[in-house]
Amino acid sequence: MVISEPIRSEIDAEIAKFPKPRGALLRAMHLVQAEHGHVSTDCARELAEIFEMRPIEVMEVVSFYNMFFDKPQAKHHVYVCTNLPCSLRGARVLLAQLESHLGVQAPGDTADGRIHLGHEECLGACAYAPMMRIDDQYFEDLDVEKAKSILDSLGE
Amino acid sequence: MLQSPYVTSYLTEHFGNDEFTTLDGYERLGGYQAARKALTEMSPDDLIELVKASGLQGRGGAGFSMGMKWSFMPKEDDRPKYLVCNADESEPGSFKDRIMLERGAHQMLEGILIAAWATGAAATFIYIRGEYSFPADCVERAVAEAYEKGYFGANAMGTGFSHDVRVTRGAGAYICGEETGLLESLEGKKGQPRKKPPFPAQYGAFGMPTTVNNVETYSHVPHIINKGIDWFRAFGTDKSPGTTIFGVSGHVARPGLYELPLGTPLSEIVFEHAGGVPGGRKVKGVIPGGMSMPILPAGLLDVPMANEFLREQKTMLGTGGIMVMDETTCMVRVASIISYFFRDESCGQCTQCREGTGWMNKIVERIERGAGEQSDIDVLLDVAGKMEASTICAFADAAAWPIQGLLRHFSEDFIAHIGGRKCPFPESFEL
Ligand SMILES: Cc1cc2nc3c(=O)[nH]c(=O)nc-3n(C[C@H](O)[C@H](O)[C@H](O)COP(=O)(O)O)c2cc1C
Ligand code: SF4
Ligand code: FES
């Protein structure tokens, strides 16, 4: 088993909350990804068993959603929102500066695998632009210096 | 955590007060009285009639009557019925639902409980976009508190009525905001919209009769029960009653949230409340209701922000997300960002949408680079026209409208790029 016992029981608890088990699938994927960093083929196979689906169906769901990954990921995910309201307030300039600060071209990972830098569509923070999402946290009202120091303080 | 709105009314009055986010505090401030009254003193039919007569329209984008939607739920039907609270908020320019979740979760839950009683629903699924991690935590905490107090579950408020609330989190896909895409996602599938009919009231979540409403729409309901229809109708216009929370972004001095009556002139919101464009520059155009809604040029900003007036200007209220662009802005770049978004987010089921969004984006980017042809404008209009009203869901219309709007009001920007073979706006925001 690659999915741990505690996660497995959380998944079971979620399943009990829905009229059909599969209603808990996205929840289960979030849980698995929090534990493993991505939804691996092995995890997908176990999820398929739990939800009585074919593994390929599980992978189809994984690939449909931007927030699920089927491959190992960098330690931290940094996304600068580049949709219109953010771009009007300098988001693309910020993204370019962060690209050169980290020495990566978005979307891409730093050589040490510490940071994935990418852009994202509107995150519901338009008035507080430019902004970025790092893992599951928002950082708003940024300028270049503030954003760089936030990136520098991210752990290994 | 989001800043409280700059202008508040009944929905957001207490958003600056931390007490309001706890169940005890919410009750001290008058919360859950409306639900108690509804569940103990009012029949479902009375409630449906009341909400119909209030004129409350959906705040998720389409503006359909909430009471009408409730009345579509089958009454003589033994199957369990469900409600969905649409908290997928992904329409670019929109961030009002986020604050309703972070600061007003109990207000929303009270609206849900009332709606559940009115429609006889067995459970509500609150679908929150995956990126809204903190807002979803706030809602889950509020749901747990409400269960603990006995407001949900087998014997809601001691009335014998049973109602469960489940929170689900999306995983990053704009199309899951469309109500049938949402239903698919809720069932653990790819969020690809369903063909209609059957409509959700017949065949919705897990195949059961379902009503989908937006976070904000639910949040108005307790106030209508507490204070009555006349009070509610005193806000807004005859056809569009109540307030809404406008989100103002882009080139303004005070971007942020403003709760104002529907029908407030767009110019008042932009220039008075949000402080106008900084640096003495002029406004060039304003998108009035989230990215799907066609832009208005500076000369048309006196329009009252209600659908009956906005429609005359070939646009709509949408989500009330107002994006302001100053005179330096290149409207072809705006078109480029918009068309990229829709190309990226199309779910790919319909040929017109999948191919149309790709074409539009390719042509717009070509024009922006200075490599466009005069005939490109006609092709854009032709493609956009063919995408309207011909697909499984309204996404394709939402992709076509803003491009049509930009060409309607700012065709000179496109022509200048094509004629000059480069972007003529050196000071525009960067692409
Ligand atoms: C492409 C697309 C995206 C949508 N996204 C949302 C959304 O994020 N939130 C929302 O409440 N409604 C969204 N809607 C509208 C819903 O389909 C539905 O009309 C709404 O949730 C109904 O609630 P209401 O009547 O209270 O507005 C979207 C519609 C379309 C076509
Ligand atoms: S219109 Fe576009 S988004 Fe909607 S179902 Fe068709 S392809 Fe998918
Ligand atoms: S455009 Fe960036 S958060 Fe909305």
Side-chain angles (χ1 to χ4, degrees):
Chain A
M1 296 305 257
V2 276
I3 300 175
S4 72
E5 271 309 312
I7 296 295
R8 177 63 211 254
S9 28
E10 272 193 70
I11 292 174
D12 288 339
E14 288 297 325
I15 287 175
K17 292 183 188 165
F18 290 90
K20 291 182 185 163
R22 202 168 156 176
L25 182 63
L26 263 55
R27 230 342 136 90
M29 284 178 177
H30 279 298
L31 287 167
V32 165
Q33 200 164 272
E35 183 173 53
H36 296 265
H38 69 292
V39 184
S40 66
T41 322
D42 288 342
C43 289
R45 208 172 289 130
E46 282 183 24
L47 285 172
E49 264 173 46
I50 298 171
F51 288 95
E52 296 180 5
M53 298 163 65
R54 289 178 295 138
I56 179 78
E57 288 177 297
V58 174
M59 292 321 285
E60 272 172 14
V61 174
V62 169
S63 65
F64 183 83
Y65 296 95
N66 293 335
M67 291 176 74
F68 294 141
F69 308 108
D70 60 0
K71 293 191 182 58
Q73 297 295 306
K75 184 99 180 109
H76 298 287
H77 281 238
V78 177
Y79 297 103
V80 176
C81 170
T82 54
N83 208 300
L84 182 58
C86 281
S87 285
L88 291 172
R89 297 179 84 90
R92 285 161 196 254
V93 179
L94 174 71
L95 181 60
Q97 300 265 359
L98 296 185
E99 283 180 323
S100 56
H101 183 65
L102 294 172
V104 289
Q105 210 183 345
D109 295 357
T110 53
D112 59 3
R114 197 169 67 95
I115 290 174
H116 172 86
L117 180 68
H119 73 87
E120 216 161 41
E121 299 302 342
C122 180
L123 289 164
C126 323
Y128 317 105
M131 63 83 65
M132 59 187 177
R133 176 167 81 89
I134 302 183
D135 305 327
D136 58 8
Q137 246 187 306
Y138 280 21
F139 297 86
E140 301 172 313
D141 287 317
L142 295 173
D143 55 45
V144 174
E145 289 317 309
K146 208 152 114 187
K148 280 185 190 167
S149 73
I150 293 168
L151 294 194
D152 292 343
S153 68
L154 289 176
E156 290 298 321
Chain B
M1 207 177 71
L2 272 177
Q3 287 168 35
S4 290
Y6 285 112
V7 179
T8 64
S9 187
Y10 57 89
L11 280 179
T12 61
E13 184 185 357
H14 300 297
F15 279 16
N17 181 351
D18 286 342
E19 242 195 313
F20 198 68
T21 63
T22 67
L23 190 146
D24 287 348
Y26 178 66
E27 290 204 297
R28 269 197 296 283
L29 293 161
Y32 285 112
Q33 282 171 16
R36 199 166 279 115
K37 178 172 166 192
L39 267 62
T40 57
E41 294 170 27
M42 297 176 76
S43 74
D45 284 338
D46 290 348
L47 269 172
I48 292 173
E49 288 313 312
L50 182 85
V51 173
K52 251 193 215 169
S54 77
L56 173 60
Q57 296 165 340
R59 301 291 199 252
F64 195 79
S65 154
M66 189 187 216
M68 288 292 280
K69 248 194 215 179
W70 291 2
S71 72
F72 297 154
M73 290 285 266
K75 290 205 176 67
E76 314 298 325
D77 198 322
D78 295 337
R79 295 180 294 167
K81 289 172 251 176
Y82 298 129
L83 298 179
V84 168
C85 175
N86 190 342
D88 192 57
E89 186 164 72
S90 317
E91 173 78 358
S94 316
F95 47 102
K96 66 176 175 81
D97 292 341
R98 184 175 153 210
I99 200 157
M100 306 294 289
L101 305 170
E102 289 183 3
R103 307 297 297 176
H106 280 296
Q107 177 173 262
M108 173 187 84
L109 289 174
E110 186 178 8
I112 286 173
L113 183 52
I114 296 164
W117 172 243
T119 55
T124 297
F125 302 99
I126 304 175
Y127 185 98
I128 306 178
R129 71 177 291 186
E131 296 89 347
Y132 277 5
S133 180
F134 176 69
D137 291 345
C138 296
V139 172
E140 287 188 351
R141 197 173 342 106
V143 169
E145 279 184 307
Y147 262 100
E148 210 167 287
K149 194 92 191 243
Y151 290 178
F152 291 110
N155 184 17
M157 291 191 150
T159 60
F161 176 62
S162 165
H163 190 75
D164 281 308
V165 174
R166 305 294 185 222
V167 180
T168 56
R169 300 186 190 209
Y174 170 70
I175 197 59
C176 294
E178 194 279 339
E179 60 184 9
T180 61
L182 188 159
L183 294 173
E184 288 290 295
S185 181
L186 184 62
E187 295 183 10
K189 300 172 187 158
K190 296 186 281 184
Q192 292 183 318
R194 297 175 181 169
K195 287 198 185 71
K196 283 141 280 199
F199 291 96
Q202 271 69 48
Y203 187 90
F206 305 97
M208 302 301 162
T210 300
T211 299
V212 182
N213 276 122
N214 168 265
V215 173
E216 185 196 324
T217 320
Y218 283 111
S219 304
H220 285 276
V221 173
H223 300 280
I224 296 171
I225 309 292
N226 278 333
K227 296 175 212 138
I229 294 173
D230 293 340
W231 168 86
F232 181 70
R233 285 191 159 276
F235 296 92
T237 69
D238 192 35
K239 291 203 172 78
S240 304
T243 64
T244 196
I245 309 168
F246 295 105
V248 188
S249 62
H251 296 142
V252 286
R254 292 202 303 162
L257 294 162
Y258 297 85
E259 183 185 354
L260 290 160
L262 288 171
T264 303
L266 181 54
S267 52
E268 181 188 320
I269 302 175
V270 171
F271 297 109
E272 289 175 34
H273 296 295
V277 180
R281 288 186 298 275
K282 292 197 188 70
V283 171
K284 182 165 175 178
V286 179
I287 297 178
M291 210 154 86
S292 307
M293 297 307 155
I295 194 167
L296 292 168
L300 294 178
L301 303 188
D302 287 331
V303 63
M305 288 292 282
N307 274 330
E308 65 269 29
F309 301 102
L310 286 159
R311 272 204 201 95
E312 286 174 14
Q313 305 302 340
K314 295 191 162 60
T315 188
M316 271 171 65
L317 179 71
T319 58
I322 296 169
M323 297 172 243
V324 180
M325 287 154 263
D326 72 15
E327 59 191 334
T328 65
T329 308
C330 167
M331 289 300 173
V332 182
R333 291 191 183 179
V334 171
S336 175
I337 292 186
I338 294 177
S339 59
Y340 174 87
F341 172 77
F342 286 106
R343 190 195 78 185
D344 203 41
E345 298 289 344
S346 167
C347 88
Q349 288 189 99
C350 317
T351 313
Q352 301 96 310
C353 176
R354 187 183 59 241
E355 303 300 321
T357 52
W359 274 23
M360 285 203 301
N361 182 236
K362 216 161 104 183
I363 297 168
V364 169
E365 287 189 350
R366 182 162 74 212
I367 296 174
E368 202 281 326
R369 282 198 312 274
E373 304 293 332
Q374 201 60 44
S375 59
D376 281 346
I377 294 180
D378 294 331
V379 179
L380 272 179
L381 285 171
D382 185 46
V383 173
K386 291 197 169 100
M387 286 168 65
E388 276 185 283
S390 64
T391 50
I392 293 175
C393 87
F395 176 101
D397 306 72
W401 292 334
I403 300 301
Q404 290 169 331
L406 285 162
L407 286 168
R408 185 155 55 239
H409 296 298
F410 298 101
S411 62
E412 66 276 11
D413 281 19
F414 291 75
I415 293 166
H417 278 75
I418 294 166
R421 308 211 75 76
K422 67 174 172 39
C423 177
F425 302 99
E427 290 175 57
S428 179
F429 72 94
E430 311 253 346
L431 202 56

